[in-house]
Amino acid sequence: MGESTLARQVAAMADPQRLQLLALLLTDPDGEADTSRLAGPGGDTDLVRVHLEAMAAVGLLGRDSRRSGPVRYRPTHDALVRFGSLAFGGAGPHEHVDRSEHGPILERITERLSVTFAGTFARETVARYVEESYSLLASRARVRQHLPALTSRFATDRLTALARAQGVSLHTTTDVLFVCVRNSGRSQIAACILRSLAGPGVRVRTAGSAPVARIDPAVVAVLIERGWEQIAEFPKPLTDDVVRASDYVVTMGCGDACPLVPGRCYLDWPVADPAGLEEAEIRVIVDEIEHRVRLLLTEIIP
Amino acid sequence: MSRQEAESTGALLRVVSDASRLQLLSLIHNSRDGEARVADLARALDLRSPTVSYHLRMLGEAGVVSRDPRGRDVWYSIVPQRLASIADLLR
């Protein structure tokens, strides 16, 4: 961290109006705004622009002038991480915020972000950021209606920024979830093959609608015979969170049991269950799944 | 945030917006037990002790650091209520 950069940023933010502008930008439903929206009706847009440009000059705001129309300003990661809580909480200690109204939603946000940031932040860290983001936002009564959505976005942005600031690389991975009934055959075969074929840009998970205790040994034998050796899993139950954390959800024989979350790509593969079958029959199933996985991979990584 | 909150946060940042003071806060924050003495800080930053004392007094008046005299030494630490904000700033 350049000490002088930080000193210049702090100096730029040592201004009540700029702190208020940053607080407005951080609670904007779009996460960015132009000068007239920030100045409000009858406000001094020129003065607002001077403040915004001063913040942009020290790397606290980015300008988006790609689209036609007025320049829109968006807080940078530095702004989120270093000044996010200051811009909301003021200098004083945070007052207690009643979170009972949105308690269950906050739990779900924490669950989801814990999956997203698994391997980067402990659940406790995620929970603290969600809680704090909520308290910061809740102190602004105006945004009460959008509080959960804003909390989710704000906490995600802050955690992402924190991960970057700490030099933790957050891969922009594509998350693929394979689901079958017992999570001991088809989903394990598909996961094993995709893991072997795809690079680190694809994260693979599996689950079962009625998971059993262990992976089918006959399936493991065929996979090893084929050289697909990345079997390090155990059958796991299907939860909303793991679906929510996935970009692609592939169901095999259990489509009905899989929760539908908007924005996910759902695929249903009609593949037979290898349970109780002979090895020769399992080999046919493995071949079919491999064919489908290779097709899926061309879709994920064009 | 209210105008009043913005004023007080702005005032806090004005006191902190100095490279030496940010370095002092960083050293205190990262030191063992979050406490440090003037002599240690002066040595680490290659500053004179009176200079360090002056900065610490300004930070103390702004409510950012507190002093705790123990025996012959005075230990400076970041005021607990400010710890989260200062830690964020120093990231």
Side-chain angles (χ1 to χ4, degrees), chain B residues 2 8 12 26 29 32 37 45 47-48 52 68 72 75-76 79-80 82-83:
Chain B
S2 71
S8 76
L12 171 75
S26 176
H29 182 54
R32 252 195 67 175
R37 297 170 298 188
L45 293 178
L47 290 172
R48 294 180 333 117
V52 171
D68 179 20
R72 280 189 195 168
W75 292 83
Y76 289 86
V79 173
R82 297 276 186 270
L83 200 51

Side-chain angles (χ1 to χ4, degrees), chain B residues 18-34:
Chain B
D18 171 284
S20 295
R21 290 180 198 167
L22 285 166
Q23 282 180 313
L24 287 171
L25 289 173
S26 176
L27 278 174
I28 296 171
H29 182 54
N30 292 310
S31 60
R32 252 195 67 175
D33 300 329

Side-chain angles (χ1 to χ4, degrees), chain B residues 40-89:
Chain B
D40 303 329
L41 295 167
R43 201 176 316 116
L45 293 178
D46 202 15
L47 290 172
R48 294 180 333 117
S49 288
T51 309
V52 171
S53 296
Y54 165 73
H55 286 313
L56 289 174
R57 194 167 68 246
M58 298 306 284
L59 290 169
E61 284 172 12
V64 180
V65 299
S66 61
R67 59 197 304 275
D68 179 20
R70 289 205 298 270
R72 280 189 195 168
D73 294 316
V74 179
W75 292 83
Y76 289 86
S77 60
I78 295 172
V79 173
Q81 290 90 330
R82 297 276 186 270
L83 200 51
S85 312
I86 297 298
D88 275 356
L89 268 190

Side-chain angles (χ1 to χ4, degrees), chain A residues 189 193 222 226 228 282-290:
Chain A
I189 295 167
I193 295 173
V222 172
R226 294 288 172 92
W228 309 118
I282 296 176
R283 285 194 195 99
V284 175
I285 292 172
V286 170
D287 286 340
E288 187 184 345
I289 293 177
E290 180 183 344

Side-chain angles (χ1 to χ4, degrees), chain A residues 137-283:
Chain A
L137 293 164
S139 55
R140 296 172 53 83
R142 195 170 66 78
V143 298
R144 204 139 191 98
Q145 173 193 0
H146 305 293
L147 263 180
L150 282 171
T151 300
S152 172
R153 210 201 69 216
F154 188 44
T156 307
D157 284 353
R158 292 179 74 204
L159 286 165
T160 307
L162 184 63
R164 295 223 176 115
Q166 290 183 347
V168 184
S169 62
L170 262 188
H171 299 294
T172 46
T173 49
T174 303
D175 288 80
V176 179
L177 172 66
F178 292 108
V179 194
C180 64
V181 180
R182 297 173 304 129
N183 192 209
S184 77
R186 290 165 288 188
S187 54
Q188 297 288 354
I189 295 167
C192 184
I193 295 173
L194 183 57
R195 274 197 200 101
S196 305
L197 295 176
V202 180
R203 182 157 44 195
V204 185
R205 295 191 183 89
T206 70
S209 54
V212 292
R214 62 179 186 145
I215 303 177
D216 189 337
V219 166
V220 173
V222 172
L223 288 173
I224 289 172
E225 168 192 299
R226 294 288 172 92
W228 309 118
E229 281 166 15
Q230 298 201 33
I231 319 160
E233 289 209 49
F234 52 93
K236 290 176 292 299
L238 178 63
T239 62
D240 283 11
D241 300 305
V242 73
V243 173
R244 218 172 279 123
S246 304
D247 301 299
Y248 289 84
V249 181
V250 180
T251 52
M252 286 170 275
C254 61
D256 297 348
C258 188
L260 285 171
V261 179
R264 292 352 177 231
C265 178
Y266 287 88
L267 301 165
D268 190 57
W269 292 353
V271 179
D273 189 344
L277 298 184
E278 297 294 321
E279 283 204 1
E281 295 165 302
I282 296 176
R283 285 194 195 99

